[in-house]
């Protein structure tokens, strides 16, 4: 069986952590070292900073217009906030 994931990914707000557990206890683990997910080189580099918990990446995302400000009161009761896609997600202020 091949499992693919990121054992250093920020923890889930709710239940999670199984992948990290498996990588610590598996007999054999391989690690991909090249980021393939992003087309832009700056975004690949920033994603690795985020993965490592380095908040310096926030400035890069802000500079590139990838983060928007919003009010928590408008976001927290929005349907789909736990990762399930919703049609209004792109137009959301948060």
């Amino acid at each position: 069986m091949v499992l693919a994931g990121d054992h250093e990914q920020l923890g889930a707000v709710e239940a999670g952590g199984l992948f990290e557990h498996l990588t610590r206890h598996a007999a054999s683990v391989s690690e991909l070292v090249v980021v393939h997910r992003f087309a832009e080189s700056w975004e690949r580099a920033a994603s690795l900073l985020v993965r490592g918990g380095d908040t310096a990446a926030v400035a890069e995302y802000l500079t590139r217009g990838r983060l928007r400000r919003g009010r928590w009161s408008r976001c927290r009761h929005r349907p789909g906030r736990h990762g399930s896609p919703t049609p209004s997600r792109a137009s959301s202020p948060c």
Side-chain angles (χ1 to χ4, degrees):
M1 177 186 319
V2 175
L3 300 174
D6 184 350
H7 64 92
E8 290 190 41
Q9 183 174 351
L10 296 176
V13 174
E14 294 178 7
L18 177 61
F19 191 78
E20 180 184 5
H21 173 80
L22 291 174
T23 61
R24 289 184 185 193
H25 295 48
S28 175
V29 175
S30 297
E31 184 173 347
L32 299 176
V33 294
V34 178
V35 178
H36 294 279
R37 184 174 180 176
F38 304 103
E40 301 289 334
S41 60
W42 75 264
E43 198 165 16
R44 285 192 293 273
S47 74
L48 292 174
L49 290 175
V50 170
R51 177 182 189 238
D54 188 339
T55 58
V58 173
E60 190 66 34
Y61 284 104
L62 283 170
T63 300
R64 306 283 183 156
R66 295 294 180 100
L67 296 178
R68 293 178 289 167
R69 295 174 194 256
R71 292 181 185 224
W72 177 245
S73 61
R74 293 179 67 190
C75 299
R76 64 183 168 166
H77 299 294
R78 193 169 44 98
R81 69 179 178 90
H82 293 291
S84 58
T86 61
S88 62
R89 198 166 188 87
S91 61
S92 172
C94 41

